[in-house]
């Protein structure tokens, strides 16, 4: 399989670059810029991409690359900081932009030399997304200028002989028109890629590898009903059938019908499916608890306890499987981010279960690829395209203490919200949308009587990576229909509000 190497210099869009490359049917991996040259050689890439990053190449402690990378005969595309790194290393000069006009941020009208391979087939003018405060004062020998903007004569550089290319803007973000085409051009026009990365191939290879590895062994998987663990289960079920046991812990804080849907989806495989209905157990542990971090902790711990009890009944297994996906394992070129919330998933399980080895068959895939693989495996669309759902479930969408009654109220309201959104096909544009039961009660009037009921909040966001998110502009008519239906159909709610905060400063979930 042909592979592209993405060297990460700490930029914020680096995973997006990898997704774009894979969308072009070429496999790639993101590695920190510190990857040793021997490892780069061993990886044997058909092309290397240097990402953006917050540093300035002329500063002493800025992230650098081993200059031997330029001697490998492998094409390089430098993006933003990566472009400056190319220039800096190959005899050019990068300086802080002298005046404000040479610093560029945001959408910028850009003119391309379409005879350069990177810009082949593009219009001569387009909008590109810039974000740089440094300036290439001197372009290195052997390079040509291949794009310019009003503020900047040297937006892109190219050395066709050595196959080194640099762009100051970010082709990977949606704001750059024709950006994916530029990346495709790098892959196909410069690196001569064949495009051998497809999900059908991946599925067959993964199934073969799982069979070889597992042999006649037993595999255990904690199935949450989320996309990742569901696809992981389907892949393993296809590969090893009844050697697989999936334990699905229903903590009673799922969305309406979700538990049954998950069970139904897996009935076609001959694997062992254990559903543990643990609602009362979880509610008992959560009773009276109002503090968000404590709620998360209680659920995480109880989850492990239930799973452990089931695992004991099964006895020793050879492998514990996990639906870890690629974004969880990428080691960034930059430092780690601050922890805002202690996310619960099943990552903490291995200490508690008797097994020999762990297998993570999705750990090379991005989320959209996981969904594609799920489709290849014949999982129903409602499971595969399911929006993310937090491990602690509705517990972090019920503000204040949790009761079964509140959970039922929220489930009904959330279902109506989702149903109405699905009718409008808005769901295609929304990354996540759900209802939150606040602990605020207010006065209302229904019929001729006074009510004193809960306020429900609706939350809908659009995002690429959930690190930042924008609140969705759902049309007023749609919001109106949802509000009327919920207040009429769900007892205990007499007021609906719509959350119009982006992340940051808010987070997606309320707790
Ligand atoms: P926040 O609220 O941190 O959410 O902006 C970002 C994304 O993460 C999901 N989320 C979780 N997922 N366990 C999970 O598996 C958790 O504890 C958890 N908390 C938040 C959230 O739904 C959103 O998609």
């Amino acid at each position: 399989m042909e592979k592209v190497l993405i060297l990460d210099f700490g930029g914020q869009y680096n995973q997006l670059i990898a997704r774009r490359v894979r969308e072009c049917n070429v496999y790639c991996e993101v590695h920190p810029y510190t990857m040793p040259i021997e490892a780069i050689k061993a990886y044997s890439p058909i092309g290397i991409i240097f990402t953006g990053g917050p540093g300035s190449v002329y500063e002493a402690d800025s992230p650098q690359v081993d200059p031997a990378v330029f001697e490998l005969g492998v094409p390089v595309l430098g993006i933003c900081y990566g472009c400056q790194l190319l220039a800096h290393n190959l005899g050019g000069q990068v300086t802080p932009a002298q005046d404000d006009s040479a610093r560029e941020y945001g959408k910028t009208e850009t003119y391309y030399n379409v005879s350069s391979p990177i810009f082949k087939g593009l219009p001569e003018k387009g909008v590109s997304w810039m974000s740089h405060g440094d300036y290439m004062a001197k372009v290195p020998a052997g390079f040509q200028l291949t794009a310019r903007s009003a503020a900047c004569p040297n937006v892109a550089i190219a050395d066709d002989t050595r196959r080194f290319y640099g762009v100051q803007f970010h082709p990977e973000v949606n704001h750059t028109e024709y950006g994916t085409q530029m990346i495709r051009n790098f892959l196909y026009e410069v690196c001569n890629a064949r495009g051998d990365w497809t999900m059908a191939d991946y599925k067959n290879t993964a199934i073969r590898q799982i069979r070889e590895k597992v042999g006649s062994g037993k595999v255990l998987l904690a199935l949450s009903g989320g996309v990742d663990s569901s696809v992981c289960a389907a892949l393993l079920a296809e590969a090893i059938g009844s050697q697989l046991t999936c334990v699905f812990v229903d903590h009673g804080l799922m969305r309406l019908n979700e538990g049954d849907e998950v069970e139904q989806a897996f009935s076609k495989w001959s694997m062992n499916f254990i559903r543990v209905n643990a609602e009362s157990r979880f509610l008992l542990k959560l009773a009276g608890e109002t503090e968000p971090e404590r709620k998360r902790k209680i659920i995480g711990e109880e989850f492990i306890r239930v799973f452990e009890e089931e695992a004991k009944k099964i006895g020793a297994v050879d492998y514990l499987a996990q639906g870890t996906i690629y974004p969880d394992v990428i080691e960034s070129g930059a430092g780690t981010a601050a922890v805002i919330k202690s996310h619960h998933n099943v990552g903490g399980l291995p200490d508690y279960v008797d097994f020999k080895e762990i297998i993570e068959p999705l750990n090379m895939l991005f989320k959209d690829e996981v969904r594609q693989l799920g489709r290849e495996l014949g999982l129903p669309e409602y499971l595969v395209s399911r929006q993310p759902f937090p491990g602690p479930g509705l517990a972090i969408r019920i503000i204040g203490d949790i009761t079964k009654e509140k959970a039922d109220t929220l489930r009904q309201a959330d279902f109506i919200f989702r149903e109405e959104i699905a009718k409008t096909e808005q769901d295609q544009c929304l990354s996540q949308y759900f209802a939150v039961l606040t602990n605020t009660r207010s006065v209302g009037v229904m019929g001729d009587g006074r009510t004193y009921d809960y306020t429900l909040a609706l939350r809908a966001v659009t995002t690429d990576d959930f690190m930042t998110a924008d609140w969705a502009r759902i049309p007023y008519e749609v919001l109106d229909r949802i509000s009327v239906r919920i207040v009429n159909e769900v007892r205990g709610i007499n007021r609906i509000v719509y959350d119009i905060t982006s992340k940051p400063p808010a987070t997606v979930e309320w707790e």
Side-chain angles (χ1 to χ4, degrees):
M1 186 169 65
E2 51 192 14
K3 294 181 285 188
V4 161
L5 174 64
I6 296 171
L7 283 185
D8 180 351
F9 291 90
Q12 48 182 325
Y13 307 122
N14 299 349
Q15 290 197 28
L16 216 46
I17 302 175
R19 281 169 53 189
R20 295 285 172 265
V21 171
R22 297 221 189 152
E23 277 164 28
C24 295
N25 298 111
V26 177
Y27 182 76
C28 64
E29 288 178 19
V30 182
H31 286 269
Y33 68 91
T34 48
M35 186 178 190
I37 191 71
E38 290 312 320
I40 294 177
K41 279 187 199 158
Y43 184 84
S44 186
I46 60 164
I48 300 176
I49 299 179
F50 296 165
T51 74
S56 287
V57 286
Y58 46 79
E59 281 169 359
D61 56 354
S62 61
Q64 291 296 330
V65 68
D66 187 334
V69 77
F70 301 110
E71 308 299 328
L72 299 176
V74 177
V76 175
L77 172 65
I79 294 176
C80 199
Y81 181 87
C83 173
Q84 292 155 9
L85 196 69
L86 262 180
H88 182 71
N89 271 274
L90 298 172
Q93 197 189 4
V94 179
T95 60
Q98 288 306 318
D99 57 85
D100 284 350
S101 64
R103 275 190 210 117
E104 296 181 295
Y105 294 99
K107 291 181 181 175
T108 309
E109 198 145 275
T110 310
Y111 300 86
Y112 306 112
N113 176 350
V114 294
S115 62
S116 172
I118 298 292
F119 304 121
K120 187 176 166 186
L122 265 59
E124 290 183 350
K125 188 172 106 177
V127 170
S128 73
W129 179 260
M130 303 271 187
S131 179
H132 65 99
D134 286 335
Y135 176 76
M136 255 186 305
K138 186 173 147 236
V139 172
F143 279 80
Q144 285 182 325
L145 294 175
T146 54
R148 66 181 169 84
S149 66
C152 206
N154 45 14
V155 165
I157 53 173
D159 177 342
D160 293 327
T161 314
R162 289 182 289 177
R163 298 188 297 171
F164 295 154
Y165 298 87
V167 291
Q168 292 270 25
F169 55 86
H170 289 272
E172 69 277 19
V173 304
N174 283 332
H175 306 296
T176 296
E177 287 180 297
Y178 323 111
T180 303
Q181 181 62 34
M182 296 172 199
I183 290 173
R184 181 180 295 279
N185 280 344
F186 175 66
L187 300 170
Y188 288 89
E189 300 296 326
V190 178
C191 306
N192 300 315
R194 291 185 308 273
D196 59 7
W197 173 249
T198 68
M199 264 314 121
D201 281 351
Y202 180 85
K203 182 189 87 173
N204 295 331
T205 310
I207 288 173
R208 201 182 61 238
Q209 286 170 344
I210 291 167
R211 285 182 184 149
E212 277 167 14
K213 175 157 196 171
V214 170
S216 59
K218 281 203 273 181
V219 180
L220 180 63
L221 172 76
L223 179 63
S224 71
V227 176
D228 304 340
S229 71
S230 297
V231 174
C232 185
L235 181 63
L236 288 163
E238 192 72 34
I240 54 168
S242 59
Q243 288 162 257
L244 171 70
T245 302
C246 288
V247 177
F248 170 48
V249 178
D250 186 343
H251 53 30
L253 295 156
M254 301 287 207
R255 288 165 290 199
L256 196 69
N257 303 333
E258 193 161 23
D260 296 340
E261 283 173 4
V262 172
E263 192 166 353
Q264 168 65 26
F266 289 98
S267 57
K268 73 176 199 182
W269 280 284
S270 62
M271 54 130 135
N272 307 300
F273 184 94
I274 300 172
R275 177 172 176 179
V276 190
N277 291 316
E279 181 186 48
S280 50
R281 223 177 132 150
F282 276 86
L283 289 181
L284 198 66
K285 283 272 180 228
L286 286 164
E289 188 56 65
T290 57
E291 211 277 311
E293 280 299 293
R294 282 286 311 149
K295 288 184 189 175
R296 285 168 179 276
K297 261 214 147 67
I298 290 170
I299 293 180
E301 283 168 12
E302 195 60 12
F303 195 95
I304 289 172
R305 206 132 300 140
V306 176
F307 186 79
E308 187 186 16
E309 284 169 22
E310 291 306 315
K312 269 195 193 130
K313 289 184 207 160
I314 297 162
V317 292
D318 303 282
Y319 297 93
L320 185 77
Q322 284 191 324
T324 316
I325 68 170
Y326 193 46
D328 304 332
V329 298
I330 295 180
E331 188 192 337
S332 164
T336 45
V339 175
I340 308 291
K341 296 177 187 179
S342 57
H343 274 205
H344 153 83
N345 48 38
V346 289
L349 288 173
D351 290 351
Y352 300 83
V353 181
D354 186 12
F355 68 99
K356 284 192 220 137
E357 214 180 309
I358 198 148
I359 46 176
E360 297 177 313
L362 308 181
N363 66 3
M364 283 299 156
L365 302 184
F366 283 105
K367 192 82 178 187
D368 22 8
E369 294 173 319
V370 172
R371 293 188 207 278
Q372 234 172 302
L373 177 61
R375 290 185 189 106
E376 285 286 335
L377 287 158
L379 277 175
E381 190 57 35
Y382 64 76
L383 248 187
V384 170
S385 57
R386 180 167 271 177
Q387 50 171 316
F389 187 64
L394 301 183
I396 57 167
R397 295 179 181 171
I398 296 171
I399 312 304
D401 69 315
I402 298 162
T403 62
K404 174 154 172 57
E405 197 186 0
K406 283 186 184 173
D408 285 339
T409 302
L410 177 56
R411 254 190 286 271
Q412 277 184 51
D414 182 71
F415 182 77
I416 293 171
F417 184 22
R418 287 189 286 133
E419 195 171 59
E420 287 299 323
I421 290 291
K423 277 188 206 161
T424 62
E425 289 176 7
Q426 283 275 323
D427 56 340
Q428 306 297 319
C429 336
L430 302 180
S431 308
Q432 200 171 3
Y433 52 102
F434 53 87
V436 175
L437 189 64
T438 75
N439 54 354
T440 295
R441 292 212 282 171
S442 69
V443 174
V445 52
M446 270 179 131
D448 288 326
R450 174 189 191 271
T451 58
Y452 187 57
D453 284 335
Y454 284 107
T455 301
L456 184 93
L458 302 176
R459 178 78 163 139
V461 296
T462 54
T463 173
D464 253 340
D465 56 9
F466 294 92
M467 306 288 284
T468 62
D470 197 9
W471 62 276
R473 272 53 167 180
I474 297 179
Y476 284 170
E477 319 77 83
V478 179
L479 287 172
D480 183 48
R481 257 199 317 274
I482 294 164
S483 166
V484 169
R485 266 198 69 191
I486 292 177
V487 172
N488 278 296
E489 295 176 37
V490 185
R491 282 184 60 154
I493 295 173
N494 69 350
R495 196 177 289 271
I496 312 281
V497 295
Y498 187 52
D499 183 346
I500 53 166
T501 344
S502 294
K503 173 184 179 177
T507 53
V508 175
E509 302 287 349
W510 275 38
E511 287 196 338

